[in-house]
Amino acid sequence: MTVNDPFSSSLQLTDEGRLKHFLTLDGLDRDLLTDILDTADSFIEVGARSIKKVPLLRGRTVVNLFFEASTRTRSTFELAAKRLSADVLNLDISTSATSKGETLSDTLLNLEAMASDMFVVRHSQSGAPHFIAETVTPGVAIINAGDGRHAHPTQAMLDMLTIRQHKGSFSGLRVAVVGDILHSRVARSQIRALNTLGVEEIRVIAPATLLPNDVESLGCKVEYDMARGLRDIDVIIMLRLQRERMEGALLPSEREFYRLYGLNQDKLALANPGCIVMHPGPINRGVEIESAVADGPQSVILSQVTNGIAVRMAVMSMAMSGQVSERSRMAAEGAGV
Ligand code: CP
């Protein structure tokens, strides 16, 4: 099912359909998502070399702009940019002039004045990377590293790469996404990616208080009971409770949530044999997942982290290449060619 994402637009594609920004999976077709996965696959080998570098972004400057906390995303974007031979600037927002009242727009203007080629942006406001992409100098690529509840497209793509590695393809797969769907940008991007790539079924499993009103319109089925919901499932994606985005009491208690929706070995046994267990992190042991499952043989949680580097290398190199072709087109138009 196709859903209109308010932040979706042709903004992130060139006229030839190539990536120039990476803001959302909305509006990206199966061929493009598959191209990202195939490109990421080709970068996995780079991580196994003794010298983990390719020259694709040599001479380019990538700025990591994280207005929200991050361990995995920020580190893997930094490693990905370095493996592509870019110069990387990590702006520490807590000690930047933002704390003196400088606006996001002014911060960006100043960083653009340093001839930056790409901004990797995480922000608590949905749509912040989209806003930046609309206003940034042509030729500068914007990559969304997670905005509010809206989207976390590189997380979804590294999850898709991990699923493809373990399951071979997407066709026929039944995927359960469990936990706090309401506040999750990851779930929104995952559901979009899974639908585009053609899985058999997506089931969201959560209490009604942690589901968006229109959740079925995202292209998934709803199940409130975890034991019923895990039947015939090939991939389980667990999500943490995102307390930083919760307003009011949405749960009776963490203990009750764990009893009903936490993944333990008994519940995992209800899914298909060979079912893989995923989690974007950070995991909260004993809140949404038991340690024996998180660290167990069906868990691919750390493979997700490793795959984050290859996927981010793919997205950054593709967006930079799209910007270069866009610049050539504009120069040719300017010269009346
Ligand atoms: N999965 C994820 O976005 O983790 P971080 O918040 O640590 O980047």
Side-chain angles (χ1 to χ4, degrees), residues 160-272:
M160 297 307 111
L161 185 65
T162 309
I163 291 173
R164 194 171 79 165
Q165 278 171 350
H166 287 270
K167 296 292 174 188
S169 79
F170 296 95
S171 89
L173 285 185
R174 290 194 166 83
V175 181
V177 186
V178 186
D180 183 359
I181 315 287
L182 179 64
H183 303 98
S184 177
R185 56 194 175 208
V186 173
R188 280 172 184 73
S189 291
Q190 287 168 334
I191 292 169
R192 164 67 61 189
L194 290 164
N195 275 320
T196 303
L197 291 166
V199 296
E200 177 78 21
E201 183 186 334
I202 305 163
R203 235 175 266 169
V204 294
I205 307 173
T209 49
L210 292 181
L211 287 167
N213 288 332
D214 60 345
V215 65
E216 278 159 328
S217 73
L218 299 176
C220 54
K221 295 182 180 168
V222 176
E223 181 56 75
Y224 302 103
D225 180 82
M226 195 154 173
R228 264 202 314 268
L230 290 181
R231 267 185 223 137
D232 308 321
I233 287 293
D234 303 296
V235 176
I236 302 173
I237 302 175
M238 296 303 298
L239 300 173
R240 76 181 171 91
L241 294 172
Q242 288 152 84
R243 296 221 173 262
E244 71 277 18
R245 294 190 201 120
M246 286 187 192
E247 289 158 13
L250 298 174
L251 294 167
S253 69
E254 271 185 9
R255 182 192 288 232
E256 187 65 357
F257 178 80
Y258 183 63
R259 189 177 72 76
L260 294 172
Y261 295 100
L263 186 62
N264 59 22
Q265 287 176 302
D266 290 343
K267 289 185 197 149
L268 178 55
L270 301 171
N272 278 345

Side-chain angles (χ1 to χ4, degrees), residues 66 68-76 122 145-146 152 155 158 185-186 240 279-282 312:
F66 278 62
E68 246 191 19
S70 168
T71 297
R72 283 145 289 272
T73 311
R74 204 196 66 83
S75 310
T76 52
R122 169 168 288 192
H152 196 347
Q155 176 69 48
L158 72 88
R185 56 194 175 208
V186 173
R240 76 181 171 91
H279 194 310
R312 287 166 177 139

Side-chain angles (χ1 to χ4, degrees), residues 297-320:
Q298 287 167 265
S299 169
V300 297
I301 294 171
L302 293 178
S303 299
Q304 290 173 259
V305 178
T306 307
N307 284 335
I309 303 174
V311 161
R312 287 166 177 139
M313 287 172 79
V315 168
M316 286 196 281
S317 57
M318 288 169 73
M320 205 66 258

